[in-house]
Amino acid sequence: MNFAIYVFDGISMFHAAAPLSVFGEAAKLPAASDWTLTVWSDSGSPVRTAEGVELAALSGPEALEAADVVVIPSWHSDFRPVEGWFREGISRSHETGAQVVGLCLGAFPLAASGILDGRAAVTHWSGAEELARSFPRVQVAADALYMDHGDVLTSAGTASGLDACLHFVRTELGAEHAAAVAQKLVIAPHRDGGQAQFIRRPMPAPSEHGPMSDLLEWIVANLEQPLTVDTLAARAQMSTRNFTRRFREATGTSPARWIAARRLDEGRRLLETTGWTIDRIARTCGFASPVTFRQSFAAAFSTTPTSYRRRFSHTS
C-alpha cells in the first residue's frame, strides 16, 4: 500500500509529521511490510515549512498515479482556491480506487474535488464555517474529531489528525497493531471520531461598548441566576423586543443560546480546575439540576462531565 503525502510551502511541521509518524511507524510492523510512504509537492521541488525548515527529495504530482492512499495533511490558512490540476488529480485517484484522507484544513481540497458532495466531513473548527459556506453540498460536522466513509477520511485539527491516522491503521490492521503504533508514539490508542472537538470558542465580541457590553460581563459573573429574557431586558432598561434585537446584534445569537454556551464553558472550566462535585458545578453554572447539566454537556460535547474531567482535569 503506497501513501502519497502532500506538502506545500508554509505547511506546519506538525501537520506534515502526523501522517508520516503514524503510517511510518505502522510500516515497520510485519503486518504492513508492503506499506510505503511517498512525500510529494506541487512540482517535486523542495518546500519550506512554516517553521522555516526545508523539505527536499520530494516527488511531484506523478505520485498520485501510484497511490493507494492520498493524504492531504493540511491546507493554506487563507483558504485559497484549489487549482484545477490538483482537484482533478485527487478526483482521478479516488475514481481509480485510492482512499483519500484530508486532515485538518486538508478537507478543503477534497471538497473542491467534489468527492465530499453529499457527505459529512470534518475540518479544524476555525475553518468549519468557511468550508460550509464555500461548499454547501458538504455536510460539515463542526465538532467531530474525524469522519470515515471508508473511501474518504477527514479529521479536525492538530492532534485529531493523529487520531484519524490511528483509526486508519486500526481499520486496516486491527486494534492490536494500532495500539502498538500508539504505544511507540506515546499517544492515546483510540479516541472515537464522534467525540467532540474540545474547542475554546471565544466569547463573541459585542459590536459596541456600553450597556450591552456591561450586561454581557454581568451575565458571565452571575450564571447561577435564572437570567430570563425579561430579567435581562429590565436590567438593560429596554423593552423585551428591543433587548432581544440588540442582543442578537451584539452576539450573533439569541440570549438563550448565548447563555447556555457560557454555562457550558464555565462547566468545563470548573471540571478542569476544581474537585467540585457535579451537583455543585451544575448549581454554580445555573443548570436546573445535575441531570440537566449532564444531558446538556453530553449533547454539546459528545462525552460526559466525568469523562471530560478524567481526561482534562488540571487538579490531579
Side-chain angles (χ1 to χ4, degrees):
M1 183 178 292
N2 182 34
F3 294 77
I5 301 172
Y6 175 68
V7 293
F8 55 88
D9 275 316
I11 191 171
S12 79
M13 292 183 66
F14 182 91
H15 286 132
L20 286 168
S21 296
V22 175
F23 298 141
E25 197 61 48
K28 299 176 185 178
L29 299 171
S33 58
D34 64 335
W35 284 23
T36 59
L37 278 59
T38 301
V39 183
W40 64 284
S41 66
D42 291 347
S43 63
S45 300
V47 302
R48 188 169 296 278
T49 69
E51 297 79 10
V53 176
E54 184 177 85
L55 303 179
L58 306 177
S59 296
E62 67 277 3
L64 291 172
E65 298 175 8
D68 300 296
V69 184
V70 177
V71 184
I72 314 297
S74 186
W75 188 243
H76 304 274
S77 59
D78 59 4
F79 309 121
R80 68 188 60 178
V82 183
E83 294 185 30
W85 69 266
F86 199 110
R87 297 195 307 267
E88 293 166 6
I90 296 173
S91 179
R92 185 165 53 252
S93 293
H94 178 252
E95 289 174 358
T96 56
Q99 294 173 274
V100 184
V101 178
L103 307 177
C104 194
L105 298 182
F108 279 79
L110 271 60
S113 74
I115 62 177
L116 291 179
D117 286 356
R119 304 192 194 213
V122 191
T123 190
H124 190 282
W125 64 266
S126 65
E129 289 186 6
E130 179 66 22
L131 185 67
R133 185 192 66 79
S134 299
F135 304 100
R137 297 184 66 182
V138 179
Q139 302 164 15
V140 180
D143 286 347
L145 292 182
Y146 54 85
M147 188 77 61
D148 185 13
H149 294 285
D151 58 329
V152 181
L153 171 64
T154 55
S155 85
T158 321
S160 303
L162 293 170
D163 295 316
C165 291
L166 269 178
H167 166 77
F168 184 97
V169 173
R170 187 181 310 108
T171 301
E172 293 293 324
L173 303 179
E176 183 177 351
H177 292 304
V181 172
Q183 185 178 31
K184 281 284 189 179
L185 299 177
V186 197
I187 56 179
H190 182 235
R191 285 201 295 167
D192 184 75
Q195 181 175 325
Q197 297 181 51
F198 297 120
I199 304 164
R200 290 294 184 195
R201 292 182 176 86
M203 186 184 301
S207 59
E208 60 182 37
H209 296 290
M212 187 59 72
S213 178
D214 293 340
L215 180 65
L216 296 180
E217 293 180 7
W218 182 86
I219 290 172
V220 173
N222 292 273
L223 292 172
E224 75 282 359
Q225 299 193 29
L227 302 177
T228 65
V229 171
D230 289 341
T231 299
L232 295 175
R235 185 175 182 85
Q237 298 182 330
M238 300 179 190
S239 68
T240 300
R241 181 176 179 180
N242 187 41
F243 168 75
T244 302
R245 178 179 62 80
R246 293 284 299 279
F247 193 97
R248 185 175 290 276
E249 290 174 353
T251 66
T253 189
S254 68
R257 286 182 178 274
W258 194 86
I259 292 168
R262 302 290 75 74
R263 283 176 165 153
L264 287 168
D265 283 344
E266 180 64 4
R268 287 191 299 175
R269 187 187 72 81
L270 293 173
L271 288 167
E272 294 173 9
T273 61
T274 75
W276 292 3
T277 64
I278 300 299
D279 182 76
R280 182 178 178 183
I281 291 175
R283 291 198 312 271
T284 300
C285 296
F287 289 94
S289 70
V291 172
T292 303
F293 174 54
R294 288 188 175 95
Q295 291 174 340
S296 299
F297 197 95
F301 306 125
S302 300
T303 190
T304 66
T306 300
S307 295
Y308 182 91
R309 166 175 273 166
R310 188 180 302 119
R311 183 178 296 274
F312 293 102
S313 175
H314 302 161
T315 61
S316 58

